[in-house]
Amino acid sequence: MSCAIRRTYGADEALYLQGDPANGIHAVLEGSVKITVPADDGQDFVMHQEGRGFWIGDLALFATARRLVSVVTTRSTDTLFFPASRLERMVQETPDYIRDFYALSHENMQKALRIVANLAVTGTEKRLVLRLLHLDEVASDVAGWIPVSQEELAAMIAVSPPSLHRALHRLIDLNLIEGGYGRLRLKDRRALISSCQS
């Protein structure tokens, strides 16, 4: 805690942008962030969202490289920021801490591989359900709402907005999810899981 600085961000503020020099690591205390990656056509692709307990920034920092992704808040968000100079001093004083940072990198790689694997699933509705189940685990607020626009969600599962709209409304009609402006909530997680297993 002596290493960290508490920071508060409003909605749609960047913790950092793709291409920025790595200057430290963030831990999300409250709120949520979206991770965007530039596609080859130059447009930013919303890859994922995360909430409380998420750590980000270690990969570029320990590789002494520039940021590969942009991290932007989806709502008011508090983080603990660990500046590079303080982290370096901490690791020099206690070299075993490097294992903990590798554990963070491993956890984020596991999430990235899960996202890629779920994108390979055929069928819009099944891909949507898998993404919603994942987002519910990591990005929902205390009331269970996932802050995500239909445009972002369509990009996350690589479908057109009309295809996403049809799949969402089918799940809403089946009373499996609930829709709100710029947000969604799962109503029957068990039935959603069953729908992916059939």
Side-chain angles (χ1 to χ4, degrees), residues 7 9 13-27 33-36 44 54-61 65-73 79 81 108:
R7 288 188 172 174
Y9 297 86
E13 278 194 68
L15 274 60
Y16 56 79
L17 298 173
Q18 187 265 339
D20 283 352
N23 62 344
I25 296 174
H26 287 270
V33 295
K34 61 184 175 184
I35 297 100
T36 68
D44 278 343
F54 181 57
W55 291 75
I56 189 81
D58 49 299
L59 189 63
L61 180 67
R66 292 191 173 270
R67 303 292 193 187
L68 295 175
V69 300
S70 296
V71 180
V72 179
T73 60
T79 75
F81 177 66
N108 285 340

Side-chain angles (χ1 to χ4, degrees), residues 24-181:
I25 296 174
H26 287 270
V28 178
L29 296 176
E30 291 295 333
S32 70
V33 295
K34 61 184 175 184
I35 297 100
T36 68
V37 180
D40 286 346
D41 65 2
Q43 293 187 18
D44 278 343
F45 167 73
V46 178
M47 186 181 83
H48 189 49
Q49 281 189 205
E50 280 276 353
R52 278 188 309 275
F54 181 57
W55 291 75
I56 189 81
D58 49 299
L59 189 63
L61 180 67
F62 289 110
T64 58
R66 292 191 173 270
R67 303 292 193 187
L68 295 175
V69 300
S70 296
V71 180
V72 179
T73 60
T74 62
R75 59 184 186 263
S76 179
T77 298
D78 293 330
T79 75
L80 283 180
F81 177 66
F82 297 83
S85 58
R86 294 183 187 182
L87 282 175
E88 187 175 338
R89 190 164 53 249
M90 189 175 78
V91 170
Q92 284 174 350
E93 290 170 1
T94 313
D96 284 350
Y97 285 165
I98 200 69
R99 293 180 184 274
D100 297 312
F101 290 112
Y102 270 110
L104 293 175
S105 295
H106 182 270
E107 186 177 312
N108 285 340
M109 178 55 74
Q110 189 175 38
K111 289 174 185 175
L113 291 173
R114 181 179 176 185
I115 290 165
V116 170
N118 287 344
L119 272 174
V121 170
T122 56
T124 297
E125 189 173 306
K126 192 169 183 179
R127 217 159 50 237
L128 171 61
V129 168
L130 289 169
R131 173 51 94 176
L132 289 175
L133 288 166
H134 192 185
L135 288 173
D136 183 57
E137 292 170 22
V138 298
S140 61
D141 63 19
V142 290
W145 288 101
I146 302 164
V148 64
S149 70
Q150 288 192 24
E151 182 181 78
E152 288 172 340
L153 193 53
M156 283 185 201
I157 64 168
V159 298
S160 68
S163 294
L164 174 79
H165 187 74
R166 284 191 299 274
L168 275 177
H169 278 278
R170 183 174 135 67
L171 296 175
I172 290 169
D173 292 344
L174 291 170
N175 206 32
L176 299 177
I177 67 170
E178 180 180 359
Y181 181 74

